[in-house]
Amino acid sequence: MKFSRRPREEPEINLIPFIDVLLVVLIFLMLSTTYSRFTELQVTLPTADAEKLRDRPSEIIVAVAADGRYAVNRKPVDGRSVELLTAELAAAANGHADAVVIVSADALASHQSVINVLDAARRAGLARLTFASQTANAGR
C-alpha cells in the first residue's frame, strides 16, 4: 500500500461552451423580439367644468364672510339677524324638508356667525348640514 499523496491537479475552467450558449440565447432573443420605435399609451385625462349646474337642486349654500355678512345661494342677506337668515333659508328650501345646508365660512369669520347659521337652519326645519371652509388668502 502506498500512502503517499499525489499532487492535486488545478481545476480547469473552460468558458468557451458557456460563451457559445450565451450567444445562442442572445441570437434567439434578437430574432424573436419585436421592437417598435414609439410606444403610445392611451390615456383619458379628467376634465372639469366650473360652470356646471348643481346636481342636487335641494342644496342651500350659505356663505359667511369674514365681517359676518351672509349670502344664501349667492344672494346677499340684508341684515345679520337670525330671524332674517331663517326667513331666507326657509325661502331657499322652497318646501323641501330634506334640503342640505352647506355652510361655507371664511377662515376669519367669527364662530358666532356660524352658530347663527346653525340656529337659523334649526328654526327653518332644516336638519341636514355640512361645512366647507376657505383659507384666509383664498381668492386674493
Side-chain angles (χ1 to χ4, degrees):
M1 276 202 199
K2 291 186 181 179
F3 289 110
S4 66
R5 286 185 140 179
R6 281 189 266 161
R8 288 186 105 174
E9 295 179 17
E10 291 294 322
E12 183 180 322
I13 299 175
N14 191 358
L15 294 178
I16 293 175
F18 179 68
I19 293 172
D20 287 343
V21 170
L22 282 177
L23 285 175
V24 168
V25 170
L26 184 64
I27 291 170
F28 172 76
L29 288 175
M30 288 181 66
L31 294 176
S32 64
T33 306
T34 306
Y35 297 100
S36 64
R37 187 174 189 120
F38 300 105
T39 303
E40 295 181 18
L41 295 175
Q42 298 297 328
V43 177
T44 304
L45 297 175
T47 59
D49 188 7
E51 298 300 323
K52 195 172 189 177
L53 295 176
R54 293 186 309 216
D55 294 332
R56 297 175 288 182
S58 60
E59 285 182 350
I60 302 170
I61 300 173
V62 179
V64 182
D67 59 355
R69 290 179 292 127
Y70 301 108
V72 177
N73 288 339
R74 297 186 181 192
K75 179 184 166 195
V77 178
D78 293 330
R80 297 183 185 183
S81 69
V82 177
E83 290 78 20
L84 287 172
L85 192 56
T86 303
E88 287 290 330
L89 286 175
N94 198 19
H96 291 92
D98 62 340
V100 178
V101 178
I102 300 173
V103 181
S104 178
D106 191 289
L108 300 176
S110 67
H111 289 57
Q112 186 59 46
S113 59
V114 176
I115 291 172
N116 288 345
V117 174
L118 299 177
D119 190 28
R122 181 186 55 82
R123 289 182 184 185
L126 304 171
R128 297 176 63 193
L129 297 165
T130 186
F131 296 92
S133 63
Q134 301 172 356
T135 58
N137 58 1
R140 290 183 187 174

